């Protein structure tokens, strides 16, 4: 039960750079062996120091979720970006998008005829400055058109002057312990059907993009050209529960101080304002405790995590690590990451796109 | 079903200043009528523009949750602060605390003998520059010593040179639809017992502090001297579900764009990265939709809210308001609030303590 000296005032987010770099290399190697391009989702880390490592290991560019994230990464010199989100463009958003397209090769998304027309009109004479992918629903039932309707959306987008270059999906229903491989099959089927639908209206589906951290190992390289996992540099308690990663593969944790200890129970100074409060039924608590394998976080307030254990708990004042359930949420709650090796702190990495919601 | 022109790119957080000011005035009046001091919790709003309105309406000072929040509000000129959290002080945290105590009248908290000794040692010759309250558990079972043990903690704190001036509790178990009044009774009992325990060791319990937005109307003025509600300037879906507020009493909402519409279903461009993902069993969805009373948010991703309705849903491109379940989380996810009246935007209020986790 190690208790570590804090590098910063707790609670803070620490990243073990050795584990991080191993995760980045492993996924890069596997995806390359599948013959797929890797375009990591940067909404997870929002961090140029990590994006640079991904590009250096062979990633073709970055995926982002918002125009704000695209602006931040373009300003940091990343010049190949895909906003994997069916934006509804207003004049204001179109102006921001044009500025990104000026600095980077930019792909955007549509998932409806109405959205495609709104995009073409808002972009005006800049509508050829972006590439467009049609989003299709592969089973998550969130956004995305039905695969069979992708041709209609593509044809209308083209008729309104947009440059459609392919299709994409997010198999988010793969976030279930028994559902990863099935979701990857459904992804392949949806992308294949959507590509056929584009071809049937004369649009070449050059880009066929899928993927997520839980499903990427099952991606179908006969159908897809590209995958977009996000969480893999860090991993988190969800990925451990899904069997996607072991606890030793988790590079990010929240360092927290034990502020109170009673028999069988302790309270840490980290809560939902740094861990986030997501807790799917299939994860065992509000975070994992790698330093306290017998313990479990049973309750979370904004600044408190309540830990119970039948084993020994560390003294008040000790610092322990907590692995968040969903790392994308945790990263968005701090301004920087404390990069560490076994030798201690090696840097502070700013989160250049934290809070870039729009 | 009004659709409103966006004041900023969606999603953003808007505050109706008329409702906000009415909420601040109503609670100030009621608490004054109870003969209690009002020390609002500023972790909810993290905003000087709102704190100034609270002080102007009679609040005696502010409550905060972290040293970082205290630093931010002290720097903004607020000179009477209570950090209602049992800090475990390191040398680094003690140095930050001393700087706050230099600029403001400062109260801090202990809830154990060990924590009191650590605090006294870390503060050193500055230990008399702060006032100390002993936290007691009134039924939430988070932090706080048992009321009967408050005397032991107080006596040891005094023996180590700290200035103990009273007791406090947070009746967080009052966040349950049938539990508000009971929690307030338990709060009074715990504070009364703890005050007796302090008196029995010769410490005068001058300050007896309690309260939360759901319980404040049931606070016992015969026992308490002060209450610390936080959410009441805004209210949120939790307060509506608890019966503490009506939908017309909610001043804060997230403005979001409909990015996709199908029969019976729509998707908004706001998700857990602006609404937060808390959803107690007793709230009906992942947020309320005041513009769409027949609709419900049934799923939330980081940037998507899935809405279902048997009624009519607005066209894609429309902007609607979403009331978050827990407003403290939402405020912490953005950098400013868009202040509005019926006439439109009247200002942007920076969140000076956003992300001040430590």
């Amino acid at each position: 039960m190690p208790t570590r000296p804090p590098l910063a005032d707790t609670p803070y987010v620490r990243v073990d750079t050795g584990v991080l770099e191993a995760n980045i290399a492993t996924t890069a190697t596997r995806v390359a062996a599948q013959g797929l391009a890797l375009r990591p989702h940067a909404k997870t880390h929002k961090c140029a120091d990590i994006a640079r490592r991904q590009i250096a290991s062979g990633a073709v560019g970055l995926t982002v979720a918002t125009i704000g994230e695209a602006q931040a990464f373009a300003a940091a010199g990343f010049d190949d970006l895909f906003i994997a989100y069916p934006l509804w463009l207003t004049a204001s958003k179109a102006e921001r998008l044009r500025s990104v397209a000026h600095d980077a090769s930019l792909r955007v998304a549509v998932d409806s005829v109405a959205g495609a027309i709104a995009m073409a009109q808002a972009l005006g004479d800049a509508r050829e400055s972006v590439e467009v992918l049609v989003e299709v629903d592969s089973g998550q039932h969130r956004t995305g058109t039905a695969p069979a309707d992708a041709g209609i959306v593509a044809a209308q987008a083209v008729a309104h002057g947009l440059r459609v270059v392919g299709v994409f999906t997010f198999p988010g229903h793969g976030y279930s312990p028994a559902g990863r491989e099935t979701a990857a099959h459904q992804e392949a089927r949806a992308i294949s059907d959507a590509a056929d639908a584009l071809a049937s209206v004369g649009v070449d589906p050059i880009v066929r993009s899928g993927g997520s951290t839980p499903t990427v190992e099952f991606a179908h390289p006969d159908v897809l050209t590209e995958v977009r996992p996000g969480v893999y540099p860090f991993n988190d308690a969800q990925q451990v529960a899904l069997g996607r990663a072991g606890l030793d593969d988790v590079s990010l944790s929240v360092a927290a101080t034990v502020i109170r200890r009673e028999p069988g129970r302790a309270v840490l100074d980290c809560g939902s304002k740094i861990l986030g409060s997501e807790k799917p039924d299939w994860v065992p608590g509000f975070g994992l405790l790698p330093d306290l394998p017998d313990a479990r976080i049973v309750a979370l307030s904004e600044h408190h995590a309540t830990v119970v254990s039948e084993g020994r708990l560390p003294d008040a004042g000790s610092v322990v690590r907590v692995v968040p359930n969903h790392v994308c949420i945790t990263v968005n709650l701090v301004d920087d990451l404390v990069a560490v090796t076994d030798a201690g702190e090696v840097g502070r990495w700013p989160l250049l796109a934290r809070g870039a919601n729009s």
Side-chain angles (χ1 to χ4, degrees), chain A:
Chain A
M1 188 170 14
T3 64
R4 296 143 200 283
L7 301 166
D9 286 353
T10 62
Y12 63 90
V13 178
R14 44 171 281 156
V15 175
D16 183 316
T17 61
V19 179
L20 176 91
E21 288 168 359
N23 289 342
I24 289 172
T26 301
T27 290
T29 303
R30 285 187 189 160
V31 170
Q34 289 170 292
L36 292 166
L38 176 62
R39 184 182 288 278
H41 211 314
K43 77 176 166 65
T44 300
H45 57 66
K46 295 175 177 270
C47 177
D49 300 86
I50 296 173
R52 273 194 283 274
R53 285 167 167 77
Q54 292 174 315
I55 299 292
S57 76
V60 297
L62 299 177
T63 307
V64 295
T66 67
I67 302 173
E69 288 181 353
Q71 288 178 296
F73 280 102
F78 296 91
D79 62 0
D80 192 338
L81 302 171
F82 171 36
I83 307 176
Y85 191 89
L87 300 170
W88 189 277
L89 282 195
T90 57
S92 166
K93 287 189 177 178
E95 187 177 319
R96 294 166 57 208
L97 205 60
R98 276 196 294 269
S99 82
V100 178
H102 185 267
D103 296 333
S105 170
L106 180 62
R107 255 177 221 158
V108 296
V110 297
D111 81 337
S112 67
V113 171
I117 294 173
M119 177 175 285
Q121 288 175 344
L123 284 174
D125 59 11
R127 64 189 181 276
E128 294 195 0
S129 68
V130 297
E131 293 181 338
V132 175
L133 298 191
V134 177
E135 184 181 14
V136 297
D137 176 21
S138 55
Q140 186 184 19
H141 308 316
R142 191 174 65 179
T143 46
T145 190
D149 294 336
I152 301 164
V153 175
Q156 285 294 313
V158 169
H160 287 82
L162 293 172
R163 284 201 292 141
V164 178
V165 300
V167 294
F168 79 106
T169 192
F170 176 66
H173 55 308
Y175 273 81
S176 106
R180 296 162 60 211
E181 193 165 356
T182 302
H185 289 315
Q186 292 169 331
E187 166 185 78
R189 166 60 79 86
I191 290 292
S192 177
D193 290 352
D196 290 347
L198 257 62
S200 75
V201 297
V203 176
D204 189 2
I206 303 165
V207 178
R208 300 180 299 279
S209 177
S212 69
T213 295
T215 59
V216 66
E217 67 195 89
F218 307 109
H220 288 231
D222 52 324
V223 173
L224 303 180
T225 60
E226 168 185 289
V227 288
R228 310 183 315 278
V231 173
Y232 73 95
F234 298 138
N235 291 312
D236 56 21
Q238 286 191 155
Q239 302 298 332
V240 173
L242 291 170
R244 172 62 174 82
L247 203 46
D248 290 345
D249 303 319
V250 177
S251 66
L252 182 146
S253 58
V254 171
T257 299
V258 177
I259 56 164
R260 181 175 179 82
R261 200 194 64 179
E262 301 167 4
R265 188 172 168 282
V267 181
L268 310 179
D269 68 354
C270 61
S272 59
K273 276 184 173 166
I274 191 160
L275 290 171
S277 45
E278 288 186 27
K279 195 203 157 297
D281 293 340
W282 40 271
V283 301
F286 291 94
L288 296 175
L289 295 155
D291 302 321
L292 306 169
D294 298 329
R296 209 156 50 90
I297 300 177
V298 294
L300 210 61
S301 306
E302 287 166 58
H303 299 279
H304 305 74
T306 303
V307 175
V308 298
S309 177
E310 309 220 330
R312 192 166 164 270
L313 284 165
D315 291 340
S318 304
V319 175
V320 299
R321 295 172 299 166
V322 183
V323 173
N325 283 348
H326 186 182
V327 76
C328 303
I329 301 299
T330 290
V331 167
N332 191 46
L333 289 165
V334 294
D335 293 323
D336 57 22
L337 305 175
V338 179
V340 302
T341 66
D342 288 343
E345 178 178 337
V346 293
R348 301 278 167 115
W349 293 349
L351 299 172
L352 52 86
R354 182 210 54 74
N357 287 312
S358 74

